[in-house]
């Protein structure tokens, strides 16, 4: 039975720090960077005020932050941190170490464009650059979802079948700084939900000595990488679904892997991550009232990639658009990562006749307005009518 949430006006960053307060992790090591700063700034105040028992480690860089998180996690401490943009890039080598050692660190990413040129506003170039680092990735549309994802992330990452670090992402300055109505669960309910962290092996357990960070030469490295991949391929989506169902029972809020609108009979569909999902849904709702069979799919989970579910959702459409808030530089025609993953999934599942168009949008925080989304549906209608995809990669909102 769902417990009652207390609703209050919160920006997305504060919503995450509230979730962290309720989780009360053992260690948080972090360095401030816009637009993530408010997450750890708010949480550090909880530490200073004695509201939580967390050991807060202020470090000199994001590389040091993730290094400290790794050391903390192998010592048996539940560990969290947060970053954005160039801060995430500075963590790069440590991301692979954390995932390769199966350390269930929870990392909030408040998405921001990677420099250069210098830009502090939202796109997904930071987390998309890290999509192959072995971390799971959740993407939030709202501050509410950022809060909910943060709490679930702890259980997902620490599950014995997964034991993989996880990024909980939200759009910088859009949800990160935008104030919305966010429902907070009772503190006790959150702490009961996440439970205690009891890793099987830790560096400080002298009764069960274990080696961490060992030299892994040609004899076993290959096998360990396969094992790491299989945790994501075979178990992660199942665990995310199970944790989501349990959290839905607790909160009363659905936690789908794919948030879908109008897809039961959609002929034209848009696939988009994070906050733009709300804009696309609003446009689709108006078009459906006019009789247009349009739909929206907003994946809440991007890594592991839910290929079976996505292909099943769109296989009967006449044309599909993917909106990518990042460019995969050097990819075919400079498309985005969600597009390349989706088209590979369609091919591998034997769906080869469905026209899919990629729209790169919103780079550097450029606004994506309802008329732009409507123009995408207009383009798709033309593609479906003519049977010709035309340009595979297009740019939405680009100045001529």
């Amino acid at each position: 039975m769902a417990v009652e949430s207390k609703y209050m006006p919160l920006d997305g960053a504060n919503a995450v720090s509230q979730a962290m307060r309720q989780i009360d992790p053992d260690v948080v090591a972090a360095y401030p960077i816009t637009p993530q700063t408010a997450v750890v700034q708010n949480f550090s105040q909880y530490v200073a005020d004695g509201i939580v028992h967390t050991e807060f480690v202020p470090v000199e860089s994001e590389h040091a932050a993730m290094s400290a998180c790794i050391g903390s996690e192998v010592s048996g401490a539940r560990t969290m941190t947060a970053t954005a943009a160039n801060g995430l890039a500075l963590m790069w080598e440590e991301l692979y170490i954390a995932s390769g050692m199966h350390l269930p660190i929870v990392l909030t990413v408040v998405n921001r464009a990677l420099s250069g040129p210098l830009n502090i506003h939202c796109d997904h170039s930071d987390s998309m650059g890290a999509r192959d680092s072995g971390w799971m990735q959740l993407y939030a549309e709202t501050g509410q979802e950022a809060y909910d994802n943060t709490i679930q992330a702890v259980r997902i990452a620490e599950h014995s079948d997964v034991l993989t670090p996880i990024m909980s992402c939200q759009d910088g300055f859009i949800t990160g700084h935008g104030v919305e109505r966010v429902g907070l669960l009772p503190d006790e309910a959150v702490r009961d939900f996440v439970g205690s962290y009891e890793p099987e092996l830790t560096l400080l357990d002298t009764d069960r000595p274990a080696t961490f960070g060992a030299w892994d030469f040609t004899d076993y490295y290959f096998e360990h990488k396969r094992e790491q991949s299989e945790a994501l391929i075979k178990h992660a989506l199942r665990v995310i679904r199970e944790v989501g169902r349990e959290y839905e029972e607790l909160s009363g809020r659905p936690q789908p892997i794919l948030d879908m609108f109008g897809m039961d009979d959609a002929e034209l569909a848009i696939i988009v991550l994070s906050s733009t999902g709300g804009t696309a849904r609003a446009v689709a709702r108006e078009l459906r009232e006019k009789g247009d069979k349009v739909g929206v799919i907003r994946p809440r989970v991007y890594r592991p990639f839910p290929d079976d579910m996505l292909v099943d959702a769109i296989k009967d459409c006449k044309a599909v658009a993917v909106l990518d808030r990042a460019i995969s530089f050097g990819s075919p025609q400079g498309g985005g990562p969600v597009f390349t993953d989706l088209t590979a999934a369609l091919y591998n599942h034997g769906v080869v006749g469905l026209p899919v168009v990629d729209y790169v949008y919103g780079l550097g925080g450029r606004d994506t307005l309802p008329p732009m989304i409507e123009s995408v549906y207009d383009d798709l209608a033309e593609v479906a009518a003519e049977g010709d995809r035309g340009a595979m990669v297009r740019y939405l909102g680009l100045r001529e």
Side-chain angles (χ1 to χ4, degrees):
M1 182 176 178
V3 299
E4 185 176 354
S5 292
K6 178 182 178 181
Y7 287 88
M8 59 180 63
L10 293 174
D11 58 60
N14 198 1
V16 170
S17 61
Q18 289 281 359
M20 293 172 66
R21 175 187 62 78
Q22 294 176 316
I23 294 164
D24 197 3
D26 298 314
V27 174
V28 170
Y31 187 85
I33 181 172
T34 302
Q36 171 277 126
T37 300
V39 174
V40 293
Q41 179 178 337
N42 292 328
F43 185 77
S44 67
Q45 192 65 55
Y46 303 142
V47 176
D49 292 343
I51 296 172
V52 295
H53 303 92
T54 305
E55 182 71 26
F56 187 84
V57 185
V59 292
E60 78 282 2
S61 73
E62 290 86 356
H63 186 280
M66 186 52 63
S67 298
C69 287
I70 289 169
S72 167
E73 194 72 50
V74 299
S75 300
R78 176 176 281 161
T79 306
M80 303 179 75
T81 187
T83 193
N86 297 61
L88 181 59
L90 190 53
M91 291 179 174
W92 222 250
E93 67 167 317
E94 304 299 324
L95 296 180
Y96 288 85
I97 293 170
S99 62
M101 294 174 67
H102 292 280
L103 303 178
I105 299 165
V106 176
L107 167 62
T108 286
V109 179
V110 187
N111 286 116
R112 167 186 150 183
L114 276 173
S115 303
L118 178 62
N119 184 291
I120 63 169
H121 292 279
C122 174
D123 66 33
H124 297 159
S125 55
D126 50 1
S127 56
M128 285 300 166
R131 69 188 182 275
D132 294 333
S133 61
W135 287 59
M136 294 177 285
Q137 291 188 343
L138 308 179
Y139 285 80
E141 178 185 333
T142 62
Q144 180 70 72
E145 200 165 64
Y147 168 84
D148 294 337
N149 284 350
T150 302
I151 295 169
Q152 293 173 80
V154 175
R155 286 277 305 277
I156 295 165
E158 293 177 1
H159 194 285
S160 59
D161 289 341
V162 180
L163 281 179
T164 297
I166 187 167
M167 298 180 192
S168 179
C169 306
Q170 63 172 303
D171 284 351
F173 289 107
I174 302 170
T175 55
H177 281 62
V179 176
E180 301 176 78
R181 182 176 181 264
V182 176
L184 303 184
L185 295 169
D187 294 354
E188 299 79 10
V190 173
R191 286 175 188 156
D192 288 345
F193 180 82
V194 299
S196 60
Y197 179 43
E198 298 177 0
E200 182 179 356
L201 297 170
T202 74
L203 188 65
L204 302 183
D205 186 354
T206 56
D207 294 329
R208 301 184 66 192
T211 299
F212 293 84
W215 179 260
D216 201 7
F217 207 47
T218 54
D219 43 2
Y220 289 112
Y221 181 87
F222 195 168
E223 286 73 19
H224 288 151
K225 291 295 110 176
R226 178 177 179 234
E227 177 190 46
Q228 182 183 343
S229 180
E230 288 190 348
L232 292 173
I233 295 169
K234 292 185 175 180
H235 303 297
L237 279 177
R238 170 182 57 81
V239 170
I240 292 169
R241 189 178 292 109
E242 290 171 357
V243 171
R245 287 172 182 157
E246 187 176 339
Y247 189 81
E248 180 178 351
E249 291 178 4
L250 175 66
S251 66
R253 294 185 286 269
Q255 305 296 315
I257 289 174
L258 301 180
D259 178 44
M260 295 192 285
F261 174 79
M263 290 304 300
D264 289 341
D265 64 348
E267 296 178 351
L268 311 175
I270 287 176
I271 299 172
V272 62
L273 298 174
S274 297
S275 63
T276 309
T279 308
R281 194 182 308 111
V283 172
R285 185 177 292 112
E286 291 183 359
L287 292 177
R288 290 192 72 88
E289 289 174 355
K290 298 175 184 178
D292 296 341
K293 293 183 178 181
V294 300
V296 178
I297 302 174
R298 181 186 59 82
R300 187 173 65 91
V301 181
Y302 178 62
R303 281 292 184 267
F305 190 71
D307 57 324
D308 292 357
M309 299 175 66
L310 279 167
V311 170
D312 186 63
I314 65 174
K315 66 180 187 298
D316 295 325
C317 292
K318 294 181 179 179
V320 173
V322 175
L323 271 59
D324 267 303
R325 204 159 195 163
I327 295 174
S328 183
F329 293 106
S331 67
Q333 295 187 25
V338 181
F339 173 76
T340 54
D341 280 342
L342 179 70
T343 50
L346 288 168
Y347 178 84
N348 289 324
H349 285 76
V351 181
V352 295
L354 174 61
V356 182
V357 183
D358 191 23
Y359 290 82
V360 176
Y361 80 102
L363 301 187
R366 182 157 295 178
D367 287 338
T368 304
L369 304 175
M372 298 179 186
I373 301 296
E374 190 166 355
S375 74
V376 172
Y377 283 121
D378 290 341
D379 287 351
L380 290 181
E382 186 175 330
V383 168
E386 297 183 359
D388 181 9
R389 177 172 64 178
M392 183 176 79
V393 179
R394 309 178 188 188
Y395 299 91
L396 190 62
L398 182 71
R399 286 202 310 271
E400 296 297 334

